[in-house]
Structures are given as C-alpha cells and as structure tokens.
Amino acid sequence: MSDLDPKLQEWGAKLTTFHLPRWGELPELDLYMDQVLTLVTVYLSPVIPPEKHNLLTKSMVNNYVKLGMIPAPKKKRYDRTHVAFLVAITILKQVLTIPEIKEGILFQAQVDGIQKAYNLFCLETELAIKRTGDLAQGKRPETDTAASSFAYLAVRAATGSFANKLLAEKAIECEIAYLQKKENQHDE
C-alpha cells in the first residue's frame, strides 16, 4: 500500500493551507447570481471538487430563498450576507439536512450575529480541515483543549463531520486506485 500513502499525504498537505474568506474579505459589491455561484465554487473547490459534487446551482439558491434560509436578493443582486450564508450552507449540506442547517444558522445568527457567526464557522471549518490534513499526512493532529460552549457545539461537530467525510472519501478514492493498479499488475 505504499502507493496509497503519498497521494493521501499530498492531499493532506494541501488541506492544511485551506482558507475561507472572513466577513471582511467577502466582496462589498453586490453580485449577480452567476458571480455568486462562481465565487462560492472558487472558495470551496479546494476541499469539495466541483466535478465530484454539485456545489451550488441557481435552483438551489432560489430554494434557499423560498425556504427562508437566506434573504431574498435585492433587484437580482446578492451581497456579502448572501455569499456568507451560501458558503456555510454548501459546506453544511454535505453532512446535515436542510432543516437542520436552517435551524443551526438561525440559532447561531441569534447568538452571535451574522458576521461573528460566519467568522466562527470559517475558523471551525479551517481547524477541522487542518486536523484532517494532518491525519492524511500521518501526523498526529493537535488536540483541542479549549472548552466548547453549548452555543458552538453544533458548529464544531458539523465542521468536524464535514472534514472527516472529506477524509473518508479521499481514502476510499485512493483505496480504489490502489486496488485497480494491483489488479492491472496481476493481469499482466
């Protein structure tokens, strides 16, 4: 299985530098739907390959508006609040149901306000992905000794689940490639 380790290690190394834009880094200008879709894809494609998952579509965005998960656009334009919500929803829908995401977002926005909640979500996502990147490289992840208050428990658990799902998918992808290579060598 020596072919497996370098692929996972390389992937893990890439994960350790993953960054989500904080509230102040999101565009201040209002955007059209296509621009929002492109932006979310750019932000998330380092961890969610677009060819593997349908990240975000116009229909999804329209459904999120109808469900009250994001505010309606103003004159078909979307602002940084929309982008922040869509980044969070796109990540969370990998591991939670839409109703769970809606309730979690509403709760977190009430507790901290949208800006602080979004920045916390970005930080927790990056930390979870970094831990996953360390595991993929065969490193022992740093243990988190910080106490987690009830208000942040769901965010921490969801982002950890997302990162672990990424690792499981990548490990299975590498295992399949390994078995195929081994099978091809056996056929020769």
Side-chain angles (χ1 to χ4, degrees), residues 18-27 39 43-44 83-84 87 118-119 122 126:
F18 177 69
H19 172 75
L20 280 174
R22 299 307 192 264
W23 184 266
E25 297 172 83
L26 295 173
L39 198 58
Y43 291 156
L44 300 182
V83 174
V87 165
Y118 173 73
N119 285 340
C122 291
E126 289 172 0

Side-chain angles (χ1 to χ4, degrees), residues 8-78:
L8 268 176
Q9 289 177 357
E10 180 182 329
W11 177 78
K14 289 178 185 174
L15 288 185
T16 60
T17 61
F18 177 69
H19 172 75
L20 280 174
R22 299 307 192 264
W23 184 266
E25 297 172 83
L26 295 173
E28 292 182 39
L29 303 170
D30 291 343
L31 305 168
Y32 289 107
M33 173 77 80
D34 288 340
Q35 293 170 309
V36 170
L37 297 176
T38 300
L39 198 58
V40 171
T41 299
V42 166
Y43 291 156
L44 300 182
S45 60
V47 292
I48 309 173
E51 65 276 0
K52 190 169 183 179
H53 297 284
N54 202 3
L55 291 181
L56 191 62
T57 65
K58 291 177 185 183
S59 298
M60 290 176 192
V61 174
N62 291 330
N63 285 335
Y64 300 152
V65 171
K66 287 178 192 172
L67 292 170
M69 294 177 72
I70 64 171
K74 295 175 186 137
K75 298 180 183 177
K76 297 185 179 189
R77 306 280 291 227
Y78 298 82

Side-chain angles (χ1 to χ4, degrees), residues 51-113:
E51 65 276 0
K52 190 169 183 179
H53 297 284
N54 202 3
L55 291 181
L56 191 62
T57 65
K58 291 177 185 183
S59 298
M60 290 176 192
V61 174
N62 291 330
N63 285 335
Y64 300 152
V65 171
K66 287 178 192 172
L67 292 170
M69 294 177 72
I70 64 171
K74 295 175 186 137
K75 298 180 183 177
K76 297 185 179 189
R77 306 280 291 227
Y78 298 82
D79 60 22
R80 71 171 64 178
T81 300
H82 294 99
V83 174
F85 277 121
L86 291 170
V87 165
I89 291 167
T90 302
I91 289 174
L92 293 172
K93 76 178 180 183
Q94 307 297 316
V95 293
L96 297 173
T97 66
I98 294 299
E100 290 167 336
I101 295 168
K102 180 179 179 181
E103 292 304 318
I105 287 174
L106 292 173
F107 173 80
Q108 215 59 58
Q110 251 188 327
V111 168
D112 289 323

Side-chain angles (χ1 to χ4, degrees), residues 128 131-132 135 157-170:
R131 283 190 294 273
T132 296
L135 282 171
T159 56
S161 294
F162 169 68
N164 285 325
K165 179 180 184 255
L166 293 177
L167 179 58
E169 289 174 343
K170 188 63 174 183

